C-alpha cells in the first residue's frame, strides 16, 4: 500500500513508494512532452510515411505476458508459495529481455526499410520514443534482478512484499506505457 493508516485519521506514506510514484509521474511528463512534440512536428507536413514493424505487435503481446508473470509472482509471494513466486519473477525478467530483443530487431527492420534516426523527424521521434522506453525497461529489469536475488534469499514473502510491490508497480506502468506508445505510433505514423 502507498498509504498506511496510523493513529486514527492520520496517514503515513511509505517513503520509497512515494519516491517511485514521483518517478513515474516524471516519466509520464517526459512522454507527454515527447508525444506532444511529435504531434506538433508532424503538423509541419514533412513526414515520412512507413509501415510499423510487425515485431511491435509481437513485443506488445510479450510485454502483456510479462506483466501477467509479474502479477502472478506477487500472488504467489502473498500466499508464501515462494518457488512459484521465484519462477514467475524469472519469467518476468526473461520476457522483459525478450521484449528488448524484439524492439532491437524491429529497429533493424526499420533501418532496412530506410527509416533512420537522422533525416526525417518521423524516424527520429520513433527511435527516441521507443529508445527512451527501452532505457526505462532496462532500469526495471535491474529492479527485477534485485527482487529475484531477494526472493532467492527468502526476503520476499507474505510479510515482506514492499520491494516486490514497487517492482511490479513500475513494471506494470512500463507495460502500460508501451501499449500507449504502440497505439500512439500506430495511429499517428
Amino acid at each position: 500500500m502507498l498509504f498506511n493508516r496510523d493513529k486514527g485519521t492520520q496517514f503515513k506514506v511509505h517513503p520509497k513508494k512515494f519516491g517511485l510514484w514521483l518517478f513515474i509521474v516524471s516519466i509520464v511528463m517526459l512522454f507527454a512532452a515527447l508525444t506532444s512534440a511529435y504531434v506538433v512536428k508532424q503538423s509541419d507536413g514533412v513526414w515520412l510515411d512507413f509501415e510499423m514493424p510487425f515485431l511491435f505487435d509481437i513485443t506488445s503481446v510479450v510485454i502483456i505476458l510479462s506483466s501477467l508473470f509479474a502479477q502472478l509472482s506477487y500472488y504467489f509471494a502473498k500466499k508464501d508459495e515462494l518457488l512459484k513466486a521465484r519462477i514467475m519473477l524469472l519469467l518476468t525478467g526473461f520476457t522483459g529481455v525478450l521484449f528488448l530483443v524484439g524492439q532491437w530487431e524491429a529497429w533493424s527492420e526499420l533501418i532496412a526499410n530506410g527509416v533512420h534516426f537522422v533525416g526525417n523527424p518521423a524516424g527520429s521521434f520513433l527511435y527516441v520514443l521507443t529508445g527512451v522506453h527501452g532505457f526505462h525497461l532496462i532500469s526495471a529489469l535491474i529492479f527485477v534482478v534485485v527482487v529475484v536475488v531477494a526472493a532467492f534469499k527468502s526476503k520476499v514473502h507474505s510479510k515482506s512484499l514492499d520491494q516486490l510491490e514497487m517492482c511490479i508497480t513500475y513494471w506494470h506502468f512500463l507495460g502500460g506505457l508501451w501499449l500507449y506508445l504502440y497505439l500512439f505510433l500506430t495511429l499517428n505514423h
Side-chain angles (χ1 to χ4, degrees):
M1 288 182 69
L2 180 60
F3 298 100
N4 293 326
R5 189 160 218 153
D6 188 28
K7 295 182 182 179
T9 59
Q10 293 180 348
F11 288 94
K12 188 176 182 180
V13 178
H14 188 289
K16 290 181 181 176
K17 289 181 181 179
F18 184 71
L20 173 67
W21 281 104
L22 286 178
F23 183 59
I24 287 172
V25 167
S26 70
I27 295 170
V28 167
M29 291 170 56
L30 170 67
F31 279 94
L34 287 171
T35 54
S36 295
Y38 182 105
V39 170
V40 169
K41 191 66 178 167
Q42 188 180 32
S43 69
D44 285 350
V46 184
W47 205 254
L48 179 66
D49 189 29
F50 58 89
E51 287 294 315
M52 295 294 282
F54 180 67
L55 278 168
F56 281 171
D57 299 339
I58 294 170
T59 57
S60 297
V61 172
V62 168
I63 204 74
I64 291 168
L65 217 90
S66 184
S67 268
L68 176 66
F69 292 140
Q71 193 60 43
L72 285 171
S73 72
Y74 177 78
Y75 171 79
F76 290 128
K78 196 170 183 178
K79 293 177 67 175
D80 282 327
E81 295 182 38
L82 303 183
L83 177 62
K84 290 178 182 176
R86 291 174 188 140
I87 290 169
M88 291 300 117
L89 279 169
L90 289 170
L91 287 171
T92 301
F94 174 76
T95 50
V97 170
L98 194 61
F99 174 86
L100 289 172
V101 169
Q103 295 292 90
W104 183 264
E105 290 300 316
W107 278 12
S108 298
E109 183 182 324
L110 286 164
I111 291 167
N113 291 331
V115 181
H116 301 284
F117 181 74
V118 177
N120 192 281
S124 301
F125 272 105
L126 178 70
Y127 289 111
V128 168
L129 287 167
T130 58
V132 172
H133 177 266
F135 170 78
H136 285 95
L137 198 75
I138 290 169
S139 72
L141 279 170
I142 293 167
F143 199 174
V144 168
V145 168
V146 168
V147 174
V148 165
V149 168
F152 275 92
K153 291 181 177 179
S154 297
K155 293 181 180 179
V156 174
H157 49 78
S158 63
K159 292 185 174 36
S160 180
L161 293 171
D162 287 342
Q163 189 178 36
L164 179 62
E165 286 175 354
M166 290 187 325
C167 181
I168 291 171
T169 298
Y170 187 43
W171 196 262
H172 287 328
F173 165 72
L174 290 175
L177 178 60
W178 169 253
L179 295 176
Y180 162 73
L181 290 174
Y182 170 75
L183 289 172
F184 177 82
L185 292 168
T186 300
L187 296 173
N188 292 296
H189 77 276

